[in-house]
Amino acid sequence: MLFQYSLLTVAALTVIGCSSPLPTTELPPARYIEVVPEFPGFHDYRGIVDLPIKASGMDQSGIADLAKTSQIDFIFLADRVQPGDTDFGIGGFTNDILFISGGAFDVGGSQIIGANIREPIKPNLTPNDLISAIHDQGGIAIAVDPAKFASSEDYALADAMEVYSQRSAWLAQSPTTLYLHAIFFGTDHFLAGLDVRPDANLALYDRMTTGARVTMLAGTGAPDNLNVLGTKVGTLPQLFLFCTTHLLARERDTAPILEALRLGHSYVSFDYLGYVGAFAFFARAGDTTTMMGDEVHLAPALTLKTELPAAADRIAIYQDGAEVTSADNATKLEFAPKSPGAYRIEAYRNGKLWILSNPVYVR
């Protein structure tokens, strides 16, 4: 038994020693911000949403340096807010990275992030009053992990939903499972265990978008920095290369970035499966092209189209949560809608979610 245990330990150390501490995300040689396909006035900015900077143990300048290495363009801050808090991070540019100030408020079993807030918000507000207070400051309310809320009424007025939460995906697994995966598998395989389709949150999101326009996002949350035989997994350098939220904006500054989030000009990519520099999902009718997040009227000539940066093993279009068409080993997919609905894209590689779009709303 001791001999078998020793062999396992040696094997584990060998695996750790041979595997890279970072995922194999193939970043370009330097950050090149791409133009959004079909929308020449817009650029594709990749960033991180829901970052509790205090839990990272780093200051904002250190986070900015790490973001620059990871070719991140923006970061939405989200430290947990205590009564009387006035520190929501420093908004604006730090070391060429755009930071959006903000904080996370505990609400009904989950959290609502107030993005772009600067002034204290009274404690013990109802969820609706909290969202109103965020809006009063020109902020955006993001409902984190909606399936965890006690009631859907708690986030009914939110502007956006953090449908995928890395932190929640981590906590959903047992510590033993995480530890063993960290020992015996490389970083990509370990992160793949966190790339779990958020079925419950997507169902709630699809239900909400049948009657309202709501932005879909992915959130990072606090890094866990799990120590495994002298090495760490779940670190910010790894997570910055794992999953990003993209915002399609005319320029990289606070106002246009917030506007892109508010309008749902956004998508999510799991970059460990393949770096995504640009992606498009849009509707076309004649000479009119409609970006994801926007509304378009149903018409006989209306076509929904998606363009991926590389081939996905599978692309699917969903209408109000139900799959209506798909393609295998494809970079493009088209569909002519016959009825109104919120249409969105899911793309997969290796059986894992790679790209998740916001909807085009066909009315």
Side-chain angles (χ1 to χ4, degrees), residues 4 130 309 334 358:
Q4 290 178 334
L130 170 62
E334 296 187 7
N358 268 269

Side-chain angles (χ1 to χ4, degrees), residues 97-304:
I97 303 301
L98 178 63
F99 284 84
I100 306 297
S101 60
F105 299 81
D106 293 333
V107 173
S110 192
Q111 293 182 322
I112 289 177
I113 295 173
N116 196 42
I117 59 174
R118 298 163 299 281
E119 302 295 331
I121 290 178
K122 292 191 300 183
N124 304 318
L125 294 176
T126 66
N128 287 349
D129 287 342
L130 170 62
I131 292 173
S132 294
I134 292 170
H135 288 164
D136 287 344
Q137 295 191 33
I140 293 177
I142 303 170
V144 177
D145 205 351
K148 290 186 175 180
F149 282 87
S151 168
S152 60
E153 294 299 315
D154 291 342
Y155 59 84
L157 299 180
D159 306 290
M161 294 171 66
E162 187 180 300
V163 171
Y164 176 81
S165 166
Q166 179 279 143
R167 179 67 175 157
S168 293
W170 182 289
L171 295 176
Q173 302 189 46
S174 72
T176 301
T177 297
L178 289 167
Y179 194 86
L180 291 175
H181 283 184
I183 289 177
F184 291 106
F185 300 113
T187 305
D188 282 9
H189 193 118
F190 179 86
L191 292 175
L194 304 177
D195 182 3
V196 178
R197 186 181 189 272
D199 293 340
N201 285 340
L202 282 171
L204 291 171
Y205 178 79
D206 289 328
R207 187 182 309 163
M208 197 164 180
T209 54
T210 59
R213 291 168 61 183
V214 185
T215 300
M216 180 194 301
L217 304 169
T220 298
D224 281 272
N225 295 314
L226 178 64
N227 198 322
V228 181
L229 299 177
T231 191
K232 290 185 178 181
V233 295
T235 65
L236 279 184
Q238 293 169 338
L239 298 180
F240 278 12
L241 295 173
F242 168 57
C243 176
T244 50
T245 291
H246 296 243
L247 293 173
L248 313 181
R250 294 188 180 277
E251 60 179 311
R252 186 169 62 114
D253 210 342
T254 301
I257 286 293
L258 289 171
E259 183 72 359
L261 190 154
R262 185 179 286 109
L263 293 175
H265 296 168
S266 174
Y267 67 94
V268 172
S269 65
F270 291 84
D271 301 285
Y272 80 105
L273 292 171
Y275 171 81
V276 180
F279 160 82
F281 176 50
F282 56 94
R284 176 166 289 157
D287 296 330
T288 302
T289 305
T290 303
M291 185 182 291
M292 56 184 157
D294 292 340
E295 293 183 342
V296 63
H297 291 294
L298 183 66
L302 184 67
T303 303
L304 300 172

